[in-house]
Amino acid sequence: MLKKRLIGVITVRNNMAVQSFSYQRYLPVGKAEYLVENLDRWGVDEILLQVTDCGKDGPDLALLNRISKLPISTPVSYCGGIRNEQDAAKVIHAGAERIALDALLHDRPDDVRSISMRIGAQAVILSMPFTIRDGIPLWLDYRTRAAHPVSSALLELMHDRMASEILVTDVDHEGGKGSF
């Protein structure tokens, strides 16, 4: 049965929660910890911490450790810098209930399978920013701004149910005035 859920997404860049505009411009909005506390108080179903600038350094475990010490009851998911199954396990150990994967889907989709086998498919979310060009939906790699059709390797992961959810973001309208 389908159910609507409200997921609060906090985008973090340079250790600051920001509002993103089409993955190109960012407006600082405060400390992630304050936003987490507010979203918990407002009763969202889940909070996704999306760290956009940790890349090759791996996940921001310090941020996740600070968040996990807050007196909140809302489940927290984490996205950012997860390079392999060891990183995924560290993120879960640091307090996230689930992880979202984005760059790894482009770089090494087969590693998603090993992550799913280690932490369970219920704890894996596929984060997929999309754009539409010439009427065709294309999957965007936010790091390079390259957009292309969904790969067969990713379709196979979906078919094999290696993730519990797919988070689709409309890149062209994300953060825009009057957009959701």
Side-chain angles (χ1 to χ4, degrees):
M1 176 169 92
L2 294 175
K3 180 184 178 221
K4 292 182 181 179
R5 297 184 323 127
L6 183 60
I7 300 172
V9 178
I10 301 171
T11 301
V12 177
R13 188 170 180 86
N14 297 323
N15 296 313
M16 178 70 64
V18 297
Q19 180 180 0
S20 170
F21 297 92
S22 300
Y23 287 71
Q24 293 181 354
R25 292 186 355 258
Y26 302 93
L27 174 69
V29 295
K31 290 182 73 169
E33 293 90 329
Y34 298 148
L35 275 70
V36 167
E37 290 175 326
N38 285 333
L39 289 169
D40 178 67
R41 191 174 61 250
W42 296 336
V44 299
D45 297 304
E46 184 174 356
I47 298 168
L48 173 63
L49 290 171
Q50 178 177 269
V51 182
T52 63
D53 60 353
C54 52
K56 64 182 175 193
D57 297 330
D60 187 344
L61 297 176
L63 171 65
L64 197 49
N65 282 319
R66 289 192 308 272
I67 299 295
S68 69
K69 291 180 176 130
L70 296 174
I72 62 170
S73 59
T74 306
V76 173
S77 296
Y78 178 89
C79 182
I82 299 171
R83 303 162 295 183
N84 50 48
E85 68 179 273
Q86 291 79 20
D87 284 347
K90 287 177 186 176
V91 166
I92 297 296
H93 184 70
E97 293 198 20
R98 303 189 321 149
I99 62 166
L101 301 171
D102 185 340
L104 193 63
L105 299 176
H106 292 280
D107 299 341
R108 293 184 318 279
D110 288 339
D111 286 2
V112 176
R113 187 174 304 279
S114 63
I115 289 171
S116 180
M117 299 301 282
R118 180 161 181 179
I119 68 172
Q122 80 287 349
V124 178
I125 303 166
L126 307 180
S127 178
M128 300 181 63
F130 273 88
T131 185
I132 296 179
R133 298 201 180 134
D134 298 323
I136 300 170
L138 298 171
W139 178 32
L140 180 81
D141 184 334
Y142 70 91
R143 300 165 300 173
T144 63
R145 304 296 299 171
H148 46 80
V150 174
S151 69
S152 59
L154 185 54
L155 290 172
E156 187 177 311
L157 286 173
M158 292 176 195
H159 180 267
D160 293 344
R161 298 184 180 171
M162 292 288 117
S164 61
E165 294 181 27
I166 300 170
L167 173 64
V168 176
T169 304
D170 177 356
V171 174
D172 298 323
H173 299 98
E174 184 258 347
K177 190 171 185 175
S179 297
F180 184 75

